[in-house]
Amino acid sequence: MLQQTRVETVIPYYERFLERFPDVHALATADEQDVLHAWAGLGYYARARNLKRAAAQVVRDHDGKLPSDAAALEALPGVGRYTVGAIRSIAFGEPAPIVDGNVKRVLSRLCAEPALADADFWELAEALVPRAHPDQFNQSLMELGATVCTPRSPACEACPVSKHCGAFAVGEPERFPQPKPRKAPREVVALGGVLVHRKRVLVLRRPSKGLLGGLWEIPTVESDDASELTESVAKRTGLATRVGRELEAVRHLFTHRSLTLRLVELERTAGKHSPDGEVESRLCSEADLQALPLSKLMRKALARAGLEPT
Ligand code: SF4
């Protein structure tokens, strides 16, 4: 949960999640929709889907016990080098390195090297991690970066490793590491259709894979063209519709995309289409919406349309 997400945001989600899925067996056998519902609002939903798949794999292949060796851990969905290092050092006390953004900053400053490559950071972290208490070492390194060796105005006078620090000796710690040029997020426009029938709104389940996979949404297309929206509704639900009044748009920032979701009312028209494939769709009351996993973006969109999951 902490990947790309702040601790204060995570804590209530973490507590609720553990209450609902108290062990690996509970998570392994849970319905993916329930897991996504518990995750809804945290973003990066692939993490939730991977966590559930990883739990199932741990139960199936490892008798419900998390393996400690790197290869078996790496074979779990969603587990990369960082997570392997965290699990091996913190859960099993093995001298495995961890490199995250905070660690990179500390190492870059300690060595006074402004432009190390990822492979260099891992090599350095591997060389430094001790056999005794690797868990405390790794957590200290990350914590040092998060609380003392901060990107701006690091507290060098209070730093326990200042006498080993090249950047401190040079006198300009903020010069390290060199900032990477950031790409501006791509501007994307999408259309979302609000179809309300007897105080119930039409929502569809997104395909399991990809951005916001498995979550529910009002019919949405990544296009500014109203006919693409009605065609998509026809394909996904068989309903014939036309676009009515435009509502106030919603803006949402994803990591690499800045999305403007233009909201329009959809009205049923005569006729029916044959839907393509299997898309789950429902007409939901405000109370029904509460039981569905919805992204923050969808909650904003529904609120804009005067519908609040209660
Ligand atoms: Fe960071 Fe300053 Fe400590 Fe060096 S002395 S590791 S720059 S806080």
Side-chain angles (χ1 to χ4, degrees), residues 101-121 123-124 149 164-180:
N102 287 323
V103 171
K104 282 184 182 173
R105 186 167 55 256
V106 173
L107 294 179
S108 165
R109 289 176 177 174
L110 284 174
C111 305
E113 285 282 356
L116 291 171
D118 268 7
D120 301 325
F121 284 119
E123 210 174 296
L124 266 171
C149 193
H164 307 289
C165 180
F168 181 56
V170 172
E172 290 175 280
E174 284 187 28
R175 261 184 47 215
F176 304 91
Q178 235 168 34
K180 284 192 186 150

Side-chain angles (χ1 to χ4, degrees), residues 15-37:
E15 288 173 349
R16 280 199 303 270
F17 198 87
L18 279 196
E19 246 169 60
R20 201 144 166 200
F21 311 107
D23 57 34
V24 70
H25 294 277
L27 187 57
T29 52
D31 190 294
E32 187 186 271
Q33 287 286 290
D34 291 338
V35 178
L36 286 171
H37 188 255

